[in-house]
Amino acid sequence: QVQLQESGPGLVKPSETLSLTCTVSGGSISNYYWSWIRQAPGKGLECIGYIYNTGSTYYNPSLKSRVTISLDTSKNQFSLKLSSVTAADTAVYYCGRVGDYALKDWGQGTLVTVSS
Amino acid sequence: EIVLTQSPGTLSLSPGESATLSCRASQSVSSTSLAWYQQKPGQAPRLVIYGASTRATGIPDRFSGSGSGTDFTLTISRLEPEDFAVYYCQHFGSSLWTFGQGTKVEIK
């Protein structure tokens, strides 16, 4: 079973860029779709976007102007950058592996707080 | 954009009882692209059902999924203490992936 682990700063200042990395183990990142999902405190799940091994990406329209998802096959990692963050971007950020039209594997999640 | 509406918001049941959770789509969706997740406090979501009715690896057979078109159901028969959690449905569209708002199954 594939394992995923998010890493990155837990605190980001308003207007700066949130950067997270998801390291994949137990499988090659060169297959499947890979996704970022977030969950604001006490709220539901929101898909941020996804990337395929070809590099093709999809971003949630509500975040599209601020989001970049990229793949690093040499490190078996994929990354998330979210620019111009505000307090509304405070959330637990999860990375996930997509298979059979479902998020089959999830990272444990990392809390990112936007505050000065 | 397809909107998924889950009901009820909260289900209060006792262990041993059965739970029926509903997920209604704003327009018809493919059963292939409908999934259910379980989330416990402080934990990442866990895939329970995909393809509307296929149990994920390690999911006990008391969990079952059904439905087609706009109406989908997750049934948990004989609730065990570890089943009390929040459940989300999700649709994988061709370009937009959306989640329902969740149903909390709580101990009565």
Side-chain angles (χ1 to χ4, degrees):
Chain A
Q1 185 173 351
V2 171
Q3 295 182 326
L4 301 95
Q5 178 67 59
E6 305 88 351
S7 59
L11 181 64
V12 181
K13 291 182 168 55
S15 79
E16 295 190 343
T17 296
L18 178 160
S19 296
L20 296 175
T21 297
C22 182
T23 300
V24 178
S25 58
S28 172
I29 202 168
S30 297
N31 303 311
Y32 307 112
Y33 285 83
W34 304 93
S35 183
W36 286 98
I37 306 97
R38 71 179 183 178
Q39 185 171 37
K43 302 297 184 182
L45 300 166
E46 178 182 35
C47 178
I48 298 170
Y50 60 80
I51 187 166
Y52 191 49
N53 65 354
T54 59
S56 61
T57 54
Y58 164 79
Y59 302 134
N60 187 322
S62 68
L63 301 169
K64 187 175 183 178
S65 62
R66 300 192 291 130
V67 174
T68 302
I69 297 176
S70 58
L71 211 58
D72 187 338
T73 55
S74 66
K75 295 181 179 179
N76 230 37
Q77 295 176 335
F78 63 106
S79 299
L80 168 70
K81 291 189 186 299
L82 181 65
S83 64
S84 305
V85 298
T86 70
D89 295 310
T90 293
V92 175
Y93 286 76
Y94 298 100
C95 58
R97 178 183 74 88
V98 180
D100 294 320
Y101 300 98
L103 283 152
K104 287 203 159 183
D105 298 296
W106 294 67
Q108 65 184 29
T110 186
L111 174 63
V112 178
T113 301
V114 178
S115 175
S116 55
Chain B
E1 175 186 341
I2 293 175
V3 176
L4 300 178
T5 302
Q6 292 187 240
S7 61
T10 301
L11 206 47
S12 297
L13 296 166
S14 301
E17 292 190 301
S18 292
T20 301
L21 287 66
S22 172
C23 176
R24 177 162 290 178
S26 58
Q27 57 186 279
S28 183
V29 301
S30 168
S31 297
T32 303
S33 58
L34 197 288
W36 290 91
Y37 302 86
Q38 175 194 71
Q39 187 178 33
K40 297 179 182 179
Q43 296 185 18
R46 175 192 184 193
L47 179 65
V48 177
I49 296 285
Y50 64 95
S53 60
T54 303
R55 279 188 300 277
T57 302
I59 299 299
D61 60 8
R62 62 180 180 273
F63 288 85
S64 63
S66 63
S68 63
T70 59
D71 292 306
F72 297 88
T73 300
L74 174 67
T75 302
I76 313 169
S77 58
R78 306 179 309 278
L79 280 162
E80 296 284 345
E82 61 267 28
D83 299 335
F84 291 91
V86 178
Y87 292 84
Y88 295 93
C89 60
Q90 183 191 22
H91 169 245
F92 277 67
S94 58
S95 61
L96 184 60
W97 300 354
T98 56
F99 289 94
Q101 81 279 20
T103 290
K104 181 179 183 180
V105 180
E106 65 176 21
I107 298 177
K108 187 175 181 181

